[in-house]
Amino acid sequence: HPGNRLRGDVVDERDPSVPGETDLLAALELQRVLQALPPRRRRIFVLHRWRGLSYNQIALSLGLSVKTVEVEMGRALKGLRAWQHDNVA
């Protein structure tokens, strides 16, 4: 109960749904890593992972073969996994 706390007690009253500093730094670093991807690869990654488009939908919208989308997505994931391996404890 708040009235029973002694002066000087530290209480963590953060909202657990609000990201902490570590989460924000990781998100900023991920954004930096994504920006470093070649433009087509980044676009394919975003369309698939964040917009939910299928490889076929991406291929049609970008005028690429489905195989090209698969290869680019694989390369994007490989790069992100390498970054994660190097940067996440």
Side-chain angles (χ1 to χ4, degrees), residues 1 5 9 14 24 28 31 35 42-44 50-51 62 67 70 72 74-75 79 87:
H1 185 269
R5 277 190 246 147
D9 284 354
R14 291 179 295 166
L24 291 174
L28 289 172
Q31 185 176 16
Q35 288 298 321
R42 179 176 58 246
R43 189 169 199 190
I44 289 169
W50 291 343
R51 300 271 174 100
L62 299 180
K67 185 65 176 174
E70 290 172 357
E72 289 291 349
R75 289 177 178 164
N87 293 286

Side-chain angles (χ1 to χ4, degrees), residues 3-78:
N4 293 337
R5 277 190 246 147
L6 298 175
R7 227 180 236 178
D9 284 354
V10 177
V11 177
D12 186 357
E13 296 180 2
R14 291 179 295 166
D15 181 344
S17 68
V18 176
E21 182 179 355
T22 302
D23 295 330
L24 291 174
L25 290 173
L28 289 172
E29 181 65 14
L30 177 59
Q31 185 176 16
R32 186 188 67 73
V33 170
L34 288 174
Q35 288 298 321
L37 292 175
R40 181 173 74 180
R41 192 171 298 160
R42 179 176 58 246
R43 189 169 199 190
I44 289 169
F45 180 86
V46 168
L47 289 172
H48 182 65
R49 288 296 173 110
W50 291 343
R51 300 271 174 100
L53 272 63
S54 69
Y55 287 180
N56 192 50
Q57 291 170 315
I58 295 168
L60 289 172
S61 69
L62 299 180
L64 303 170
S65 72
V66 173
K67 185 65 176 174
T68 298
V69 172
E70 290 172 357
V71 168
E72 289 291 349
M73 193 63 193
R75 289 177 178 164
L77 291 171
K78 183 178 180 180

